[in-house]
Amino acid sequence: MNISEEIARRASLIDAGIDRLLPPASARPQRLHAAMRYAVQGGGKRLRPMLVIAAAELFGRRRPGQPAPVLDPMPAAVAIECVHTYSLVHDDLPCMDNDDLRRGRPTVHKAFDEATALLAGDALLTLAFELIGRGYPPDPGHALALELADAAGSRRLIGGQVEDLLAERKAGVTPEELAFIHLNKTAAMIEASLVIGGLIGVGTAAQSQSGKDIEVLRRAGRNLGLAFQIVDDVLDATSDTATLGKTAGKDAKAGKTTSVSLHGIEASRKSALDLSEMAADEFRKLPGAAPFLVALAGTLSQRIK
Ligand code: GRG
């Protein structure tokens, strides 16, 4: 498999799903819907929706005589990207990270205005649950909604963001505090992407092995998520704004505690490699040994080699 081509192929399918499932920019109020589309359609690696679809495919393929997967993972994949994008739009606001550049373009509050950015983020978060509600029958739709609510909620994504903001205002952030931030601000949504994909793939015909497979996906997501944040920290310290499409060098400038500031670049690189290898080891336990997910985990740490 040529992993770069495969990632590009999958990203363009996801882009088509996003285009289909987001309200049209012409819907009233046009400014709000244009801002939602601007935020979601302005690039992005599409890692999380890719994880949803790849995890769903693993189980769909296992059922003899049925095309994979039985339930369409696209609405959930787009829902995950909507939640992720809302978190980026809000994080970029002046009251949080105050950034002008995201995905190589002006942030939503710069391209529109602060109130529109805030509301576009709110609307993307709400749309995510609508997509799950419309896209799936109660079983497994109910479980998908709970998984997403947990990952996006006050104990995980929002909780991680709050502790991150608090940590910026104090000295002496401990490794334990940083681990909480990474596990929740970053890993929660990556973990949920894989679990939601797995639940869709397993569908209603749950098999005795499925519970174990979902736990494997959860562990893989946690390790992949932690690796992903360390890679993000290393790139912030070593790459440039043009390559990243967002402001580079922000962490050091803000005196922020990161994996790089606590452990240094080399130790961070090694941790990211080890964690993505641990994620790949989990993926190898899944049906068909999950070659796309194993290769995807490999590309992650390649970004900082
Ligand atoms: C506002 C509730 C709330 C949360 C904000 C996403 C976020 C939490 C903060 C942004 C800063 C940051 C470093 C978050 C960690 C997760 C992360 C690395 C996000 C960027 O994800 P990518 O690289 O972005 O997948 P693209 O643009 O490719 O989708």
Side-chain angles (χ1 to χ4, degrees):
M1 175 194 336
N2 178 326
I3 185 66
S4 313
E5 280 174 22
E6 185 57 14
I7 287 174
R9 186 185 73 78
R10 286 170 179 261
S12 74
L13 289 176
I14 291 161
D15 287 344
I18 288 171
D19 192 43
R20 180 167 57 84
L21 292 169
L22 252 66
S26 58
R28 187 174 173 185
Q30 288 172 0
R31 187 173 175 80
L32 175 67
H33 293 111
M36 289 164 73
R37 280 188 169 259
Y38 176 89
V40 185
Q41 296 187 301
K45 293 178 287 300
R46 310 296 190 214
L47 169 72
R48 296 156 191 81
M50 225 171 267
L51 293 176
V52 173
I53 293 171
E57 285 171 354
L58 295 174
F59 300 95
R61 282 203 187 113
R62 198 160 60 170
R63 293 205 214 141
Q66 280 183 325
V70 177
L71 291 171
D72 180 8
M74 190 59 82
V78 174
I80 287 274
E81 188 66 7
C82 286
V83 174
H84 168 59
T85 307
Y86 122 79
S87 78
L88 298 178
V89 172
H90 281 194
D91 184 64
D92 289 333
L93 286 170
C95 62
M96 293 202 216
D97 217 28
N98 191 20
D99 220 321
D100 296 352
L101 192 70
R102 169 71 63 184
R103 293 174 162 176
R105 301 200 299 177
T107 45
V108 180
H109 66 274
K110 285 282 164 190
F112 292 80
D113 57 76
E114 263 184 66
T116 305
L118 183 75
L119 294 167
D122 292 342
L124 286 171
L125 177 59
T126 311
L127 174 64
F129 288 91
E130 183 186 333
L131 290 172
I132 300 272
R134 279 190 201 282
Y136 302 94
D139 177 12
H142 190 84
L144 304 185
L146 286 180
E147 185 67 32
L148 188 57
D150 182 64
S154 60
R155 290 182 172 83
R156 303 226 57 197
L157 175 65
I158 298 174
Q161 174 76 349
V162 168
E163 292 228 359
D164 192 37
L165 292 171
L166 292 171
E168 274 178 32
R169 289 176 209 141
K170 69 170 204 177
V173 175
T174 65
E176 187 280 324
E177 287 167 327
L178 190 65
F180 178 91
I181 293 167
H182 288 185
L183 266 178
N184 295 299
K185 189 181 85 163
T186 312
M189 285 295 292
I190 291 181
E191 191 183 304
S193 302
L194 287 165
V195 169
I196 283 174
L199 291 170
I200 291 168
V202 168
T204 48
Q207 299 162 20
S208 60
Q209 180 58 24
S210 358
K212 282 188 198 143
D213 288 336
I214 298 294
E215 283 320 302
V216 169
L217 284 167
R218 199 180 283 292
R219 277 200 302 276
R222 179 190 151 108
N223 288 329
L224 200 65
L226 293 174
F228 192 76
Q229 180 60 60
I230 298 172
V231 168
D232 199 68
D233 289 350
V234 171
L235 287 174
D236 182 78
T238 58
S239 190
D240 55 82
T241 300
T243 311
L244 294 180
K246 60 181 182 177
T247 316
K250 277 201 85 173
D251 296 341
K253 205 169 162 198
K256 192 169 173 176
T257 306
T258 66
S259 171
V260 170
S261 74
L262 274 186
H263 308 295
I265 287 183
E266 277 323 306
S268 299
R269 273 202 176 104
K270 180 161 179 351
S271 298
L273 272 171
D274 291 349
L275 284 160
S276 38
E277 195 41 50
M278 281 158 74
D281 281 343
E282 296 291 349
F283 289 142
R284 289 186 187 100
K285 297 176 187 163
L286 291 164
F292 173 70
L293 287 169
V294 170
L296 188 64
T299 62
L300 200 119
S301 39
Q302 290 295 328
R303 292 172 71 208
I304 50 164
K305 256 198 168 165

